[in-house]
Amino acid sequence: MSALRQLLDVLVAGLIAGSSTFVVSAVAPGYAITIGTVLASMYYFSRYPWGIEGGGRYNERIDAFYDRVLPG
């Protein structure tokens, strides 16, 4: 996996963390940062699983998107 793809995954995880923290803060401000961190971690570690089965299908779709978007 290239460093550029991993950097993009970190940026996407950051966007997930920020947007979910913003949305959840309207409903449960005390838990917003925790929930945002958990959701971002779930995305990132689903891309780099530790023994998870079935995640390969989603990773292939994300990789195909990256192939279209990122320079060769």
Side-chain angles (χ1 to χ4, degrees), residues 13-57:
L15 288 172
I16 291 170
S19 59
S20 60
T21 298
F22 177 74
V23 170
V24 172
S25 67
V27 179
Y31 297 103
I33 293 175
T34 302
I35 292 171
T37 304
V38 167
L39 292 175
S41 298
M42 286 171 57
Y43 170 77
Y44 184 80
F45 288 116
S46 73
R47 291 288 291 146
Y48 302 95
W50 294 339
I52 294 175
E53 229 178 280
R57 183 177 71 235

